[in-house]
Every structure is written in C-alpha cells, then in structure tokens.
C-alpha cells in the first residue's frame, strides 16, 4: 500500500528525504553491479545488441549514483556504501527480468522522490532527479523491448 502522504508529495522532513535518497543510492549501486556483470555474461547472437545497451546503462547508473550521493551530502547526511542485493542467473531472460523489475522499482521511487523534493521546495534537486528519471525510463524501454514486451504501465506510481 503506497504511502498516500508521500504520493501526494505530502510533508516529509529533510532527514527522511536523505534516508530515502540513501535507499535510491543503494538501488543505483545494485544497478551498476547488475549491468556490469550481465552485460558481459549475456550469451547468444540475439542478445548482443541488448548486451551493448546494458554496458551503457552501467555507465549511466554510475552517473546517477554520483548525482544522488551529491544530494545526500547537500542535505548534510552521509551517502550509504551498501548496494541492494544483486540476483544472478545463467538464463538471459531471467537476467533481463531482474533488471526490468529493478528499473520499475526505481522509476516508482524517483517519481515519488520528485514529489517529495518539490513539497520541500527543493526544486533543483527535483530537477536533477527528473533527469535521472528520463534515463531510467529509457532503461525500462530497452529491457522490455529485449524481452518482447510492452513497458509496464506505471501511471499509478
Ligand atoms: Fe539509475
Ligand atoms: Fe536504470
């Protein structure tokens, strides 16, 4: 059940925002690790173009991690150093599925984070996260396309 206050951009403290950004940072670390590994171990001619895209994702996720860490520091808190757990599989479709699920989660969280930043008057931070969100949605599209699916409808997120 989504937290309605957070969903509406309701009032949260700057400390709580920093905590949530640390969760985002842990997801970025997770994404870096997953994309570094999956981009190299995906096998099969049909996966070569997505493997190249995953390498690009890895680099973009590193940029996101740096941007998020900067926001946490700006809020006077210490950026976390621990990634969320990374799942492994020897099946290409499972790897892509893990990535897509994580990106869905990431998109859901950043949408909420933008509302929370705006509720706190942190408009520049909201803008930085919007720019990250644009790339995360591209990642969703790349993965869904590789899986031969439509991008999940996140409009209620
Ligand atoms: Fe990211
Ligand atoms: Fe991503």
């Amino acid at each position: 059940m989504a937290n309605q206050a957070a969903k509406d951009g309701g009032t949260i403290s700057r400390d709580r925002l920093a905590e949530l950004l640390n969760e985002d940072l842990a997801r970025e670390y997770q994404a870096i690790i997953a994309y570094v590994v999956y981009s190299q171990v995906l096998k099969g001619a049909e996966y070569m173009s997505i493997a190249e895209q995953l390498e690009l994702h890895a680099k973009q996720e590193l940029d996101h991690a740096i941007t998020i860490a900067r926001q946490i520091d700006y809020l006077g808190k210490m950026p976390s150093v621990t990634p969320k757990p990374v799942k492994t599989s020897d099946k290409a479709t499972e790897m892509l599925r893990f990535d897509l699920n994580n990106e869905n989660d990431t998109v859901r969280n950043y949408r909420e984070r933008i509302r929370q930043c705006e509720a706190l008057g942190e408009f520049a931070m909201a803008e930085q996260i919007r720019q990250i969100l644009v790339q995360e949605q591209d990642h969703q599209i790349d993965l869904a396309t590789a899986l031969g699916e439509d991008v999940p409808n996140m409009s209620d997120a």
Side-chain angles (χ1 to χ4, degrees):
M1 191 76 185
N3 178 329
Q4 196 58 41
K7 238 183 147 173
D8 297 339
T11 41
I12 64 160
S13 66
R14 289 165 69 86
D15 281 359
R16 179 67 186 141
L17 178 62
E19 277 174 22
L20 292 168
L21 287 168
N22 257 326
E23 296 288 312
D24 297 329
L25 183 57
R27 266 185 292 276
E28 294 292 355
Y29 293 148
Q30 173 195 51
I32 294 165
I33 295 167
Y35 284 132
V36 164
V37 174
Y38 297 173
S39 66
Q40 302 311 307
V41 304
L42 272 181
K43 300 286 187 296
E46 69 271 42
Y47 295 114
M48 285 307 97
S49 101
I50 185 70
E52 262 176 45
Q53 288 173 324
L54 299 193
E55 269 193 41
L56 175 63
H57 292 188
K59 293 170 187 171
Q60 291 173 328
E61 306 296 9
L62 176 57
D63 287 340
H64 301 168
I66 291 169
T67 300
I68 296 298
R70 189 193 303 274
Q71 310 313 310
I72 295 164
D73 177 67
Y74 162 83
L75 290 170
K77 298 292 175 188
M78 188 68 182
S80 73
V81 295
T82 311
K84 302 262 181 203
V86 180
K87 293 183 189 166
T88 54
S89 169
D90 51 12
K91 293 198 188 74
T93 50
E94 277 186 4
M95 287 187 258
L96 296 172
R97 174 72 49 206
F98 295 151
D99 279 338
L100 180 57
N101 288 344
N102 288 343
E103 293 289 354
N104 293 343
D105 203 29
T106 294
V107 164
R108 197 174 299 115
N109 272 280
Y110 282 142
R111 287 182 179 186
E112 187 178 316
R113 215 66 73 239
I114 289 165
R115 295 185 191 108
Q116 291 165 332
C117 288
E118 291 189 340
L120 284 170
E122 291 289 353
F123 298 111
M125 195 181 295
E127 184 56 33
Q128 303 259 355
I129 296 175
R130 265 199 183 82
Q131 288 173 23
I132 294 176
L133 181 58
V134 170
Q135 293 193 329
E136 307 295 15
Q137 290 196 184
D138 269 345
H139 297 170
Q140 276 185 309
I141 294 168
D142 288 344
L143 292 162
T145 304
L147 285 163
E149 298 175 3
D150 291 333
V151 177
N153 178 359
M154 313 277 300
S155 59
D156 63 342

